[in-house]
């Protein structure tokens, strides 16, 4: 079973790896390039813990093959902060206690960032539906929704 | 497993026709990868269609309809103003498939080829009178969408054949469509019942209609009796009752982990009534 | 003397008594006495029980049992 | 509601950033599957596709011949002769003579890659003789049911009981028949709940390494590293101290990670592969099929009530299956079900029953939600029948300090009445409801737990403090323990670092379970800090040349206690710590105990629902949780526990369930069909933290983690009845069932 040489950009860095064509992008991120921030909660696209963007589209990296990433841009949780400076969503999640175990947090942050890029002023209902593919079993979502709304407000203020 | 990236449909068809073992086509991958992961399917050849020119495009056809590429993800359908204006029911069916993340990958063609009777995007396509262009080793042919699924998980595609585009007819004036499904949660479920209605009005009267149901039979089903129940009516109370009755009568569902026979049969009628009213409102210019 | 309240399916081992009296100053002493008096209780006590002394689950065998204390034997408590 | 003496804290009751927040929002935090080591192998497990089958033959030769395969194990690789719960754990880790449920492990492989290990598993050939199986608890308790295991019943089971009954109990007091005779209304009903899974998003994962010398290491996501150590040692016949277990960050547990499932496999594979580390990560499907869900229950409840709402007698008979092994929480369900009520006449009967399902594990207030569903549902129906306000009825019968609990002991300080009063005062109760809407109320209870606890605290050279605890941080316990430690030492919150440590670093700790981490590790940290303070006062006294008894600790500094002690400026913790090398050496504090003073926690929930009368779909419009926290150390994480418990209860009430086919196979082993609530299913969840301080804890803490999952099941059933007129007695209250119930009553 021969492996495929994949060249891709991850969080702005050019990365190369050899992938078995059966391996998912999530497997490749975690096991070949050591980026374990994206999590596998289900492997079937139902929990969103592995959320990344692929050429700007929000996807479950467990439903993308590693070989499909060739020539594309991948953004993961590890690229969300700007050096030591957290993205407002990351800060607001800590401030609002929007995580308990924290396992779903990377995927939710990646998905929420894409939401706010798409829709800077979402309603509570829009946030809930956008994040419906990101399961959290600890929080009941309440503080997550508040943190996203608060970060959105802050980002709007910055932009104004 | 061998991974192929052909650049034409003809090459893809040739690859598939020559392959000895199990072959799968890859567009969005949201079904194939899940099946591979669960060990249900271990393909020998996986043919990725995304390097073929035009597969990610939505184009207006000369007759006023639409041609949708096989790798157009749900999110791109929803972002396409012209398509949303013409066929909101088709678009909302696709948009109900999975989460935001799934929408970034999943395609109409994939949803159709998975062969599930519960596929959310298929009733809308059937009600719309959509067809598919099929490319095979011997050339292309065009087939109505309702003829593609033949039983759960099985399609009418022959070995070496693959869908190369989805074709929507011109919408025309005073017409609207809608799709509703029932799931226990608000998101992330497979339809327990799905119902799509497409209709045209002459004044306040329904002059033409197509009704399609999902998850109530071995395949998505076109229900002419349901359409007949509302053609020539203004969707008054008695027409809606007749519509619901015809929809329920067309159901031959199963009891399974997602719903019961009685529930599916009952709710098929309820949803069809509700979908018809939305389609009518859209035909009258309501953009919601 | 300490009166120990048992759960009633244990009365098969105590000749029908729901409350039995033993001579003891500690929880451990009371349990040992119980087993000595009613050997049928041994596997149940071995498997683990919680002993409640005046409303509080006793933390260990050395917990004192004051004269006249309310002692209740319960199946072992834990949680999720 | 806080008592006056609790108002003076500087830190306790504030909401600082959690210490592990940064790691968890940047993807740096390392969970179970994130740990790797040089030379590491990957494991995969072959599982039974049958609910009940005799294993006739296992042929592993083809798997062993595959390149890259380093070890294949079956039950033959495990020691024999285990008994009791040790045998149960071993049998559940890997099937012996028979596979007892769909998903039961049969063989395991370690290979050089994940894909290679999976290929090897597919090459293992197993010959099964399929046996009759039983899934439902009411079927399993029948005298002619397929027998899961001969001789599994313990001494509590009288002669002549059906073969799958393995534990039996009855307890109570008063004369329940006389109680019913006194009542104006006696009602009796049967209720059923299906098994649900804890549904933590992180699948079980570990990396084990075991040499031929019997020394081993394990890195694992767990609620309790010492439990993992003890259980792995028992199952594999190891010396406990030779195994060192390091907990990773944990992606949720809710009780499900207090025991072992596949951890011994990684150690056994490692040993067979010459001591290479072996990583084993479960898939979601494996988690649902082969780790511990909760029990399913069938429950009869009979209650007598006077016209004014006074409960005169109550009887509960519960049957629960917890899988193919003893251990359903039927005892806890019975203890908790009538716990909010003062009862003179009460009777409880319980049966623990075997069935062909995975071995159940603890799930958040184990047993209590099922019992509450039955009792709180029936009470609500009786209130409707007698036209009594359900909240007033609960207040009238509520237990108070000094009352004897339904299950035996006397209550210490409890806050049920305060909780019910706070509920009554909440604005949600006066919001008008529209058509097809209904409001439901229910109460709930959990004991809370203490458990073996060992904590060490050390003062660093700069006057900051590190605390080593043995309870993994699932939901912010590092923050609450740091707050209490800093408050006690009189130093800033940021100056305390709380570390969750491995088994080699402390005495035995029970897991983070029973809502005990903030109570027990927190209490021990406070005591340990006190020891350090005593030592620091001594060091200051020595410097000053006065009696240590004459030194007191105020705001992070030693100072003379009054003018008679002498006149010296306060000596800060930093000053004392900076000199500790020359004043007597390291300064630390340590405490270990099974702490006394556990405080029970009552809650009351109010839910507003809307039911679509044509489809039976229930929408949660509003949700209120009111619960006694004793004292909320970090209120944001207390609210989080309340909200999370409510959300899990909502899932259990409406859609979550184990669904089995006729063949006894689990049909919904993915999140697509095991329907936990998604963000768009829920509203904001309102919370009220009632604070009736627990006198058994230095800062008044009661455990808060578990009670919150108990009231939602009945509260939602009660709301659905008000919305539709239909009463659901069988969970989940999924749309098909609700629609059928509406139709059955002619709606």
């Amino acid at each position: 079973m021969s492996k495929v040489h994949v060249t891709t950009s991850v969080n702005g860095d050019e990365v190369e790896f050899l992938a078995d064509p059966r391996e998912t992008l999530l497997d490749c991120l975690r096991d070949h390039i050591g980026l374990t921030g994206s999590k596998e909660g289900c492997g079937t696209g139902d929990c969103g813990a592995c959320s990344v963007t692929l050429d700007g589209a929000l996807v479950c990296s467990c439903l993308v093959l590693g070989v499909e990433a060739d020539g594309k841009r991948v953004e993961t949780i590890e690229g969300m902060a700007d050096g030591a400076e957290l993205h407002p969503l990351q800060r607001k999640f800590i401030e609002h206690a929007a995580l308990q175990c924290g396992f779903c947090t990377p995927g939710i942050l990646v998905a929420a960032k894409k939401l706010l890029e798409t829709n800077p002023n979402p309603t509570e209902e829009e946030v809930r539906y956008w994040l419906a593919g990101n399961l959290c079993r600890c929080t009941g979502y309440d503080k997550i929704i508040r943190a996203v709304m608060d970060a959105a407000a802050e980002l709007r203020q910055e932009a104004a | 497993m061998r991974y192929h990236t052909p650049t034409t449909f003809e090459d893809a068809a040739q690859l598939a026709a020559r392959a000895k073992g199990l072959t799968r086509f890859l567009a969005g991958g949201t079904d194939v990868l899940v099946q591979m992961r669960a060990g249900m399917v271990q393909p020998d050849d996986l043919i990725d269609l995304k390097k073929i020119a035009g597969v990610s495009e939505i184009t207006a056809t000369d007759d006023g309809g639409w041609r949708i590429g096989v790798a157009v993800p749900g999110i791109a359908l929803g972002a396409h103003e012209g398509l949303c204006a013409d066929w909101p029911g088709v678009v909302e069916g696709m948009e109900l498939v999975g989460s935001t993340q799934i929408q970034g990958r999943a395609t109409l063609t994939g949803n159709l080829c998975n062969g599930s009777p519960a596929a959310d995007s298929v009733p809308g396509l059937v009600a719309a009178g959509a067809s598919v262009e099929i490319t095979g080793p011997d050339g292309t042919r065009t087939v109505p969408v309702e003829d593609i699924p033949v039983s759960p998980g099985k399609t009418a595609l022959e070995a070496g054949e693959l869908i190369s585009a989805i074709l929507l007819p011109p919408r025309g004036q005073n017409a609207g469509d809608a799709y509703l499904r029932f799931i226990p949660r608000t998101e992330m479920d497979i339809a327990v019942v799905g119902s799509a209605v497409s209709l045209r009005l002459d004044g306040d009267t329904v002059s033409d209609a197509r009704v399609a149901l999902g998850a109530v039979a071995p395949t998505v089903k076109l229900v002419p009796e349901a359409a007949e129940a509302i053609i020539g009516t203004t969707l008054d109370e008695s027409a809606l009752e007749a519509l619901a009755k015809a929809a329920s009568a067309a159901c031959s569902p199963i009891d399974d982990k997602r719903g019961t026979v009685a529930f599916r049969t009952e709710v098929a009628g309820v949803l069809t009534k509700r979908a018809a009213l939305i389609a009518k409102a859209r035909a009258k210019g309501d953009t919601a | 003397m300490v009166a120990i309240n048992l759960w009633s399916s244990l009365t098969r081992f105590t000749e029908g008594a729901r409350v039995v009296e033993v001579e003891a100053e500690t929880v451990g002493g009371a349990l040992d006495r119980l087993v000595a008096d009613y050997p049928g209780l041994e596997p149940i006590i071995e498997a683990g029980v919680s002993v409640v002394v005046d409303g509080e689950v006793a933390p260990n065998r050395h917990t004192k049992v004051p004269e006249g204390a309310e002692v209740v034997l319960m199946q072992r408590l834990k949680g999720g | 509601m806080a008592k006056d003496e609790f108002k003076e804290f500087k830190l306790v009751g504030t909401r600082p950033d959690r210490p592990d927040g940064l790691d968890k929002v940047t993807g740096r935090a390392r969970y179970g599957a994130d740990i790797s080591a040089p030379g590491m192998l990957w494991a995969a497990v072959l599982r039974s596709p049958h609910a009940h089958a005799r294993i006739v033959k296992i042929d592993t030769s083809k798997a062993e011949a595959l390149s890259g395969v380093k070890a294949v194990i079956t039950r033959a690789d495990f020691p024999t002769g285990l008994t009791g719960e040790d045998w149960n754990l071993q049998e559940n880790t890997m099937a012996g003579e028979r596979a007892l449920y769909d998903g039961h492990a049969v063989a395991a492989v370690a290979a050089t890659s994940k894909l290679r290990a999976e290929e090897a598993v597919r090459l293992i050939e197993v010959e099964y003789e399929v046996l009759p199986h039983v899934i439902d608890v009411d079927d399993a308790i029948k005298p002619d049911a397929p027998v899961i295991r001969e001789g599994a019943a313990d001494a509590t089971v009288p002669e002549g009981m059906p073969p799958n009954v393995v534990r039996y109990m009855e307890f109570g007091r008063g004369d329940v028949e006389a109680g019913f005779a006194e009542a104006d209304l006696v009602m009796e009903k049967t209720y059923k709940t299906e098994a649900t899974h804890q549904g933590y998003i992180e699948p079980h994962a570990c990396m084990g390494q075991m040499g031929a010398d019997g020394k081993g290491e394990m890195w694992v996501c767990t609620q309790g590293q010492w439990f993992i150590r003890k259980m792995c040692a028992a199952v594999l016949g190891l010396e406990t101290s030779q195994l060192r277990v390091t907990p990773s960050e944990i992606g949720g547990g809710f009780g499900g990670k207090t025991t072992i499932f596949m951890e011994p496999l990684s150690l056994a594979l490692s040993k067979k592969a010459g001591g290479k580390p072996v990583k084993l990560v479960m898939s979601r499907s494996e988690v649902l099929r082969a780790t511990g869900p909760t029990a399913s229950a069938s429950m009869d409840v009979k209650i007598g009530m006077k016209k004014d709402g006074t409960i005169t007698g109550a009887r509960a008979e519960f049957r629960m299956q917890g899988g193919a092994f003893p251990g359903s929480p039927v005892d806890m369900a019975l203890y908790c079900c009538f716990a909010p009520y003062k009862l003179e006449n009460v009777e409880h009967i319980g049966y623990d029953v075997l069935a062909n399902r995975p071995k159940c594990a603890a799930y958040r207030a184990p047993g209590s939600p099922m019992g509450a569903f039955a009792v709180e549902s029936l009470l609500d129906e009786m209130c409707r029948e007698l036209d009594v306000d359900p909240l007033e009825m609960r207040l009238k019968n509520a237990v108070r300090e000094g009352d004897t609990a339904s299950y035996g002991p006397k209550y210490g300080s409890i806050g049920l009445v305060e909780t019910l009063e706070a509920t009554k005062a909440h604005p949600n109760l006066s919001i008008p409801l529209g058509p097809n809407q209904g409001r439901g109320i229910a109460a709930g209870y959990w004991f809370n737990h203490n458990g073996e606890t060992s904590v060490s605290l050390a003062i660093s050279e700069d006057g900051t403090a590190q605390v080593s605890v043995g309870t993994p941080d699932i939901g912010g316990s590092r923050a609450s323990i740091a707050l209490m430690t800093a408050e006690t030492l009189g130093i800033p919150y940021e100056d305390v670092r709380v570390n969750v440590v491995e088994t080699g670093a402390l005495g035995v700790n029970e897991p983070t379970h029973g809502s005990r981490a903030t109570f027990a590790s927190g209490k021990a940290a406070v005591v340990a800090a006190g020891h350090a303070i005593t030592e620091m006062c001594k060091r200051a006294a020595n410097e000053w040349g006065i009696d240590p008894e004459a030194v007191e600790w105020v705001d992070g500094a030693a100072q003379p206690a009054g003018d008679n002690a002498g006149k010296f400026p306060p000596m800060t913790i930093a000053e004392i710590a900076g000199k500790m090398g020359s004043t007597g050496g390291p300064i630390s504090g340590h405490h270990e105990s099974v702490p006394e003073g556990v405080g029970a926690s009552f809650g009351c929930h109010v839910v507003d629902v809307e039911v679509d009368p044509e489809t039976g779909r229930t929408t949660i419009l509003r949700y209120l949780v009111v619960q006694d926290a004793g004292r909320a150390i970090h209120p944001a994480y207390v609210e989080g526990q309340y909200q999370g418990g409510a959300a899990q209860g909502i899932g259990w009430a409406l859609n979550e369930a184990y669904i089995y086919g006729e063949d006894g196979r689990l049909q919904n082993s993915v999140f697509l069909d095991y329907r936990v609530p998604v963000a768009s299913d829920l509203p904001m969840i309102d919370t009220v933290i009632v604070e009736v301080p627990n006198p058994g804890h230095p800062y008044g803490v009661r455990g808060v983690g578990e009670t919150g999952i108990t009231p939602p099941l009945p509260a939602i059933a009660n709301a659905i009845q008000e919305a539709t007129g239909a009463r659901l007695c069988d969970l989940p209250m999924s749309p098909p069932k609700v629609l059928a119930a509406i139709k059955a009553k002619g709606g």
Side-chain angles (χ1 to χ4, degrees), chain D residues 278-545:
Chain D
V278 174
K279 179 148 140 180
L280 179 44
V281 182
M282 277 188 166
S283 68
R284 176 55 49 185
S285 170
E286 287 180 291
V287 170
L288 287 166
R289 287 169 75 205
T291 69
T294 185
S296 68
S298 166
M299 303 169 285
D300 305 327
V301 180
K302 185 175 182 181
I303 296 176
M305 193 184 277
K306 286 191 177 164
K307 278 182 184 146
D308 67 354
T310 307
I311 303 171
T312 57
R315 183 179 184 279
E317 181 169 332
F318 292 178
R319 300 161 291 276
M320 285 194 190
Q321 69 72 32
F325 301 89
S328 80
V330 63
D331 40 6
M332 304 294 147
L334 289 165
Y335 289 154
C336 293
C337 70
F338 296 122
Y341 306 109
K342 196 174 171 174
L343 299 174
E344 300 300 328
N345 306 301
V346 59
E347 185 174 71
H348 311 76
I349 296 174
Y351 300 84
D352 183 10
V353 186
L354 300 188
N356 291 111
R357 300 204 194 195
K359 187 179 196 296
C360 81
Y363 180 19
R364 209 167 195 155
S368 187
M370 298 87 138
F373 175 60
V375 168
E376 298 288 304
S377 291
L378 188 60
L379 286 172
D380 190 74
E381 275 201 89
M382 297 179 78
C383 287
R384 278 167 205 284
E385 189 76 26
L386 292 172
D387 199 23
V388 173
D389 179 84
L391 205 45
E392 294 300 339
M393 182 281 294
R394 286 179 173 87
L395 271 166
K396 181 180 277 291
N397 294 287
V399 287
R400 294 158 194 265
E401 182 168 357
D403 285 342
T404 302
S406 55
Y407 55 91
K410 276 195 179 60
Y411 284 115
S413 162
I414 49 172
L416 176 58
V417 170
E418 291 82 350
T419 300
L420 294 171
E421 293 287 359
T423 308
K424 209 166 125 183
H426 196 277
N428 277 17
L429 275 87
S430 47
I431 297 173
L433 296 175
N436 302 315
Q437 297 184 351
R439 179 166 294 151
I441 291 172
Y445 172 72
W446 185 248
F447 316 91
N448 297 326
H449 180 60
N450 47 6
E452 289 161 90
T453 309
S454 173
V455 165
S456 278
L457 174 145
I459 305 295
S460 303
E461 299 88 325
D462 56 358
T464 60
Q466 68 180 54
V467 183
S468 299
V469 300
T471 43
D473 181 355
I474 311 188
S477 58
R478 284 185 186 92
S480 61
I481 293 166
L483 278 168
M484 290 184 279
T485 305
E487 183 82 53
T488 306
L489 290 172
I491 61 178
Y493 165 76
E494 293 74 18
D495 284 3
V496 178
R497 174 157 180 159
V498 178
N499 297 311
V500 179
V501 300
E502 42 100 352
T503 53
L506 284 176
V508 172
N509 274 274
E510 273 189 34
T512 297
H513 70 163
S515 300
R516 73 180 214 93
T518 298
F519 170 77
S521 285
K523 185 172 179 175
V526 169
V527 176
H531 293 325
I533 287 171
T534 303
E535 179 63 22
M536 289 189 287
C537 287
K538 198 176 102 192
R539 303 279 173 104
N542 287 345
E543 286 290 302
W544 292 329

Side-chain angles (χ1 to χ4, degrees), chain D residues 24-366:
Chain D
K24 287 180 176 167
V25 299
T26 53
R28 277 206 304 267
R30 278 181 299 172
Y31 293 84
D34 300 339
I35 315 288
S36 294
M40 186 181 80
L41 304 174
W42 291 82
V45 179
L46 178 67
R47 298 183 179 279
S48 167
H50 304 296
H52 196 189
R54 198 165 69 81
I55 298 169
V56 180
K57 197 174 127 201
I58 305 179
D59 182 351
T60 60
S61 56
K62 286 181 188 157
E64 281 161 14
L66 186 70
S67 169
V69 171
K70 300 295 177 190
V72 182
I73 57 168
T74 65
R75 182 66 174 274
D77 294 279
F78 286 75
T80 55
L82 275 61
T83 58
E85 185 60 10
D86 289 345
W87 186 88
N88 292 336
L89 289 168
Q90 188 185 54
E91 177 76 4
N92 191 45
T93 303
M94 189 161 275
E97 290 169 14
R98 285 183 293 155
L100 297 171
Y101 55 91
D102 167 42
H104 199 170
V106 172
V109 175
T112 48
S113 76
K114 193 155 49 175
L115 288 167
R116 193 54 59 100
E118 286 164 8
E119 279 169 49
V121 157
R122 284 195 288 272
L123 293 173
I124 298 173
E125 291 164 6
V126 184
E127 189 186 324
Y128 294 101
E129 177 195 337
V130 177
L131 302 170
H133 66 270
V134 62
I135 297 293
D136 180 75
V137 62
D138 287 327
D139 292 337
I141 203 171
K142 286 177 183 157
D144 58 349
V147 180
I148 315 287
R149 184 148 60 91
E150 303 277 2
D154 75 11
T156 59
V157 181
E159 289 288 319
M161 285 240 175
N164 290 324
V165 175
V166 291
R167 212 156 40 107
Y168 172 77
M169 65 212 66
E170 47 178 90
F171 56 95
R173 66 162 175 278
D175 180 343
V176 76
E177 290 306 328
F180 293 145
E182 245 183 276
D184 294 310
L185 174 68
V186 177
M187 280 180 78
E188 181 171 17
K189 279 209 169 180
T190 300
Y191 300 84
K192 288 192 87 164
T193 64
E194 196 26 89
T196 55
H197 196 275
Q198 297 83 351
Y200 31 80
I201 311 299
E202 183 197 29
H204 295 258
C206 67
M207 184 176 72
Q209 184 268 314
M210 168 65 56
D213 57 359
K215 290 190 174 65
E217 294 269 354
M218 169 157 291
W219 295 263
V220 58
C221 59
T222 178
Q223 291 176 246
Q225 52 273 42
W226 281 268
F227 267 31
I228 294 279
R229 184 179 74 159
K230 176 176 73 176
M231 293 175 186
C232 284
V235 164
L236 296 169
L238 309 172
E239 281 183 28
T240 307
S241 291
Q242 296 300 337
L243 180 60
R244 189 169 73 145
V245 180
T246 305
S248 67
E249 291 301 323
I250 175 172
F254 316 111
K257 290 177 184 166
T258 56
T259 182
I260 56 167
F261 294 104
M262 78 322 176
E263 290 80 2
L265 300 179
S266 74
L267 293 169
L269 285 165
S270 173
K271 189 169 182 186
K272 204 161 180 178
K276 288 188 165 67
V278 174
K279 179 148 140 180
L280 179 44
V281 182
M282 277 188 166
S283 68
R284 176 55 49 185
S285 170
E286 287 180 291
V287 170
L288 287 166
R289 287 169 75 205
T291 69
T294 185
S296 68
S298 166
M299 303 169 285
D300 305 327
V301 180
K302 185 175 182 181
I303 296 176
M305 193 184 277
K306 286 191 177 164
K307 278 182 184 146
D308 67 354
T310 307
I311 303 171
T312 57
R315 183 179 184 279
E317 181 169 332
F318 292 178
R319 300 161 291 276
M320 285 194 190
Q321 69 72 32
F325 301 89
S328 80
V330 63
D331 40 6
M332 304 294 147
L334 289 165
Y335 289 154
C336 293
C337 70
F338 296 122
Y341 306 109
K342 196 174 171 174
L343 299 174
E344 300 300 328
N345 306 301
V346 59
E347 185 174 71
H348 311 76
I349 296 174
Y351 300 84
D352 183 10
V353 186
L354 300 188
N356 291 111
R357 300 204 194 195
K359 187 179 196 296
C360 81
Y363 180 19
R364 209 167 195 155

Side-chain angles (χ1 to χ4, degrees), chain B residues 20-119:
Chain B
K20 297 268 184 300
L22 187 62
T23 302
R24 282 289 182 274
F25 294 105
L26 175 66
T30 53
D31 287 314
V32 172
L33 263 68
V34 172
Q35 291 158 2
M36 283 165 62
R37 165 81 199 198
M40 287 156 59
V41 171
Q42 302 288 334
D44 299 292
D45 290 278
L46 186 69
I47 305 174
D48 188 343
L49 305 175
K50 290 191 291 295
K51 306 270 179 189
I52 299 174
V55 291
S56 299
E57 285 166 23
I58 301 169
T59 45
T61 55
D62 294 340
D63 64 353
W66 297 97
R67 179 186 174 94
I68 301 170
V70 298
V72 173
I75 202 159
L77 290 185
H80 194 284
E81 281 179 23
L83 192 66
C84 289
D86 275 6
W87 296 104
V90 171
V91 173
E92 73 196 351
M94 187 62 218
E95 286 185 317
L96 286 172
V97 176
S99 60
T100 322
Q101 287 85 338
I102 302 294
Q103 285 294 306
R105 296 274 290 169
T107 66
L108 279 173
T109 306
N111 201 221
L112 175 60
C113 291
N114 195 41
S116 165

Side-chain angles (χ1 to χ4, degrees), chain D residues 550-632:
Chain D
V551 177
E552 62 181 6
W553 189 261
V554 178
D555 287 341
Q559 64 181 39
D563 291 344
N564 293 342
K567 279 215 179 299
F568 303 98
M571 192 181 290
T572 66
I573 189 169
E575 292 173 72
I576 297 168
K579 288 189 281 195
M580 66 187 174
S582 59
T583 60
I587 298 171
S588 62
H590 185 80
H591 185 67
E592 47 206 0
S593 68
V594 177
E596 295 181 48
V598 179
S601 182
F602 287 92
C604 183
H605 292 198
V606 183
V607 59
D608 292 354
V609 304
E610 180 168 331
V611 180
D612 182 338
E614 290 187 314
T615 65
R617 199 152 105 73
T618 300
T619 302
I620 307 288
L621 301 172
R622 236 165 260 115
Y623 204 98
L624 169 65
V625 180
V626 184
Q627 190 184 322
D628 179 14
R631 172 77 201 181

Side-chain angles (χ1 to χ4, degrees), chain A residues 16-155:
Chain A
E16 293 175 69
F17 55 87
L18 289 176
D20 183 302
R22 293 169 296 176
E23 287 177 313
T24 65
L25 175 57
L26 178 62
D27 293 333
C28 295
L29 287 171
R30 292 178 53 84
D31 301 333
H32 296 327
I33 50 182
L35 294 179
T36 55
S38 306
K39 306 299 181 193
E40 178 163 318
C42 68
T44 51
D46 298 311
C47 81
C50 65
S51 296
V52 301
T53 61
L54 182 68
D55 276 356
L58 180 66
V59 299
C60 287
S61 58
C62 75
L63 293 187
V64 177
L65 292 175
V67 292
E68 290 183 82
D70 190 55
K72 296 197 181 292
R73 277 178 301 114
V74 181
E75 297 282 341
T76 72
I77 183 64
E78 286 92 346
M80 193 158 167
D82 183 7
E85 189 173 344
L86 294 181
H87 186 279
L89 275 163
Q90 293 174 304
R91 218 167 359 86
K92 291 296 178 189
F93 265 58
I94 298 175
E95 268 175 44
H96 284 264
L99 56 141
Q100 284 178 31
C101 81
F103 191 78
C104 69
T105 308
I108 291 185
L109 285 168
V110 168
K113 178 165 176 269
K114 180 68 192 170
L115 165 65
L116 300 189
E117 286 162 7
T118 310
N119 177 2
N121 192 8
T123 62
E124 180 193 328
E125 192 182 19
E126 285 169 338
V127 177
R128 288 187 180 276
Y129 274 87
W130 183 277
L131 294 178
N134 289 88
L135 299 181
C136 168
R137 191 58 160 172
C138 294
T139 64
Y141 304 103
D142 183 299
K143 292 181 189 300
I144 291 173
I145 306 299
R146 289 177 202 277
V148 173
M149 303 285 285
D150 193 16
E154 185 181 302
L155 283 163

